Amino acid sequence: MSEARARILSRLRAAPPSVAPDRPDWQPPRFGDQRLAKFRTMLESWRAEVHDTTAAAWPETLAALLGTKLAGKNSRTVIHAPNTVTGQTLAEAWAGRSDVPVLVPYIESVESFKTVLVQQADAGVTGTVAGIAETGTVVLWPGADEPRLMSLLPPVHVAVVAASSVRDTMADVVTEQGWKDRMPTNVVLVSGPSKTADIEQTLAFGVHGPKEFVVLVLTDA
């Protein structure tokens, strides 16, 4: 150990312990029966699209939405996670149909799938583990079955959210789901399409991620 380093560490060890500051007097907001309304309002304030649907009808709702959004595109390609409930539901509902976008499963490595992700995919559909009303945020829990690139690279990200999973605050989600015991390597919190104002403080959408963010709220789930 160098002499300088030893001197610094010695001074740090000799310093009296500091007293933790008092916690601020804060109470989490409670929205009661307006929770879903707050969730929608906040999402829309971040330029997200929010559509109410049901657990049985959401694939058809999505087909109609994407049919409009992707009209005129050559590929009309949507990626999904076939080993998740969301992905399986979509695949079964769209199987054998010619009036819906092409559904491509994300089951390959990034290296072999990057052409689809970067150049061909028009939209990515993911599930969520929760919604946060206070901030208008959906919580994604990426993993091997649903890689995070699905929500980052396609120009349109569609998130499917169960209304029953929406909580007032992030603290509620963290506590109820026991995050302290099962944190993954990555949690994605999405409150709208990608945006930046790096250049001359001019707000631009879709520079670093999806340009459009669509949230399907399953009101019966």
Side-chain angles (χ1 to χ4, degrees), residues 140-142 179 182-187:
L140 278 61
W141 202 267
W179 285 22
R182 62 185 194 101
M183 279 293 288
T185 56
N186 182 257
V187 174

Short mmCIF file of all heavy atoms in Angstrom, two decimals, residues 140-142 179 182-187:
data_model
loop_
_atom_site.label_atom_id
_atom_site.label_comp_id
_atom_site.label_asym_id
_atom_site.label_seq_id
_atom_site.Cartn_x
_atom_site.Cartn_y
_atom_site.Cartn_z
N LEU A 140 -41.20 -4.19 -17.04
CA LEU A 140 -40.82 -5.39 -17.79
C LEU A 140 -39.75 -6.14 -17.02
O LEU A 140 -38.90 -5.53 -16.36
CB LEU A 140 -40.27 -5.01 -19.17
CG LEU A 140 -41.26 -4.72 -20.30
CD1 LEU A 140 -42.17 -3.55 -19.97
CD2 LEU A 140 -40.51 -4.43 -21.60
N TRP A 141 -39.82 -7.46 -17.12
CA TRP A 141 -38.89 -8.33 -16.39
C TRP A 141 -38.16 -9.18 -17.42
O TRP A 141 -38.47 -10.36 -17.58
CB TRP A 141 -39.69 -9.19 -15.41
CG TRP A 141 -38.95 -9.75 -14.25
CD1 TRP A 141 -38.35 -10.97 -14.17
CD2 TRP A 141 -38.77 -9.13 -12.97
NE1 TRP A 141 -37.80 -11.14 -12.93
CE2 TRP A 141 -38.04 -10.03 -12.17
CE3 TRP A 141 -39.15 -7.90 -12.43
CZ2 TRP A 141 -37.69 -9.74 -10.85
CZ3 TRP A 141 -38.80 -7.61 -11.13
CH2 TRP A 141 -38.08 -8.51 -10.35
N PRO A 142 -37.21 -8.62 -18.15
CA PRO A 142 -36.57 -9.37 -19.24
C PRO A 142 -35.84 -10.60 -18.74
O PRO A 142 -35.37 -10.65 -17.61
CB PRO A 142 -35.57 -8.34 -19.81
CG PRO A 142 -36.03 -7.01 -19.33
CD PRO A 142 -36.66 -7.27 -17.99
N TRP A 179 -39.13 -7.94 -4.49
CA TRP A 179 -37.94 -7.75 -5.33
C TRP A 179 -36.64 -7.97 -4.56
O TRP A 179 -35.64 -8.36 -5.15
CB TRP A 179 -37.95 -6.34 -5.94
CG TRP A 179 -38.92 -6.15 -7.06
CD1 TRP A 179 -40.03 -6.90 -7.33
CD2 TRP A 179 -38.87 -5.15 -8.06
NE1 TRP A 179 -40.68 -6.42 -8.43
CE2 TRP A 179 -40.00 -5.34 -8.90
CE3 TRP A 179 -38.01 -4.08 -8.32
CZ2 TRP A 179 -40.25 -4.52 -9.99
CZ3 TRP A 179 -38.27 -3.26 -9.41
CH2 TRP A 179 -39.38 -3.48 -10.24
N ARG A 182 -35.38 -11.42 -5.24
CA ARG A 182 -35.30 -12.03 -6.58
C ARG A 182 -35.01 -11.02 -7.68
O ARG A 182 -35.57 -11.10 -8.76
CB ARG A 182 -36.62 -12.75 -6.89
CG ARG A 182 -37.83 -11.83 -6.95
CD ARG A 182 -39.12 -12.61 -7.15
NE ARG A 182 -40.23 -11.74 -7.52
CZ ARG A 182 -40.68 -11.60 -8.75
NH1 ARG A 182 -40.10 -12.26 -9.73
NH2 ARG A 182 -41.70 -10.80 -9.02
N MET A 183 -34.13 -10.09 -7.41
CA MET A 183 -33.81 -9.10 -8.43
C MET A 183 -33.10 -9.74 -9.62
O MET A 183 -32.12 -10.46 -9.45
CB MET A 183 -32.92 -8.02 -7.83
CG MET A 183 -33.67 -6.96 -7.06
SD MET A 183 -34.74 -5.94 -8.12
CE MET A 183 -33.51 -4.98 -8.98
N PRO A 184 -33.58 -9.48 -10.84
CA PRO A 184 -32.87 -9.99 -12.01
C PRO A 184 -31.71 -9.05 -12.36
O PRO A 184 -31.48 -8.06 -11.66
CB PRO A 184 -33.95 -9.95 -13.09
CG PRO A 184 -34.78 -8.76 -12.70
CD PRO A 184 -34.77 -8.73 -11.19
N THR A 185 -31.01 -9.38 -13.42
CA THR A 185 -29.91 -8.51 -13.82
C THR A 185 -30.41 -7.22 -14.44
O THR A 185 -29.67 -6.24 -14.52
CB THR A 185 -28.99 -9.22 -14.83
OG1 THR A 185 -29.79 -9.64 -15.94
CG2 THR A 185 -28.33 -10.43 -14.19
N ASN A 186 -31.67 -7.22 -14.87
CA ASN A 186 -32.18 -6.04 -15.55
C ASN A 186 -33.69 -5.95 -15.38
O ASN A 186 -34.39 -6.93 -15.59
CB ASN A 186 -31.82 -6.11 -17.05
CG ASN A 186 -32.28 -4.88 -17.82
OD1 ASN A 186 -33.27 -4.93 -18.53
ND2 ASN A 186 -31.56 -3.80 -17.66
N VAL A 187 -34.17 -4.79 -14.99
CA VAL A 187 -35.60 -4.50 -14.97
C VAL A 187 -35.80 -3.26 -15.84
O VAL A 187 -35.05 -2.30 -15.74
CB VAL A 187 -36.10 -4.21 -13.54
CG1 VAL A 187 -37.56 -3.75 -13.57
CG2 VAL A 187 -35.96 -5.44 -12.67
#
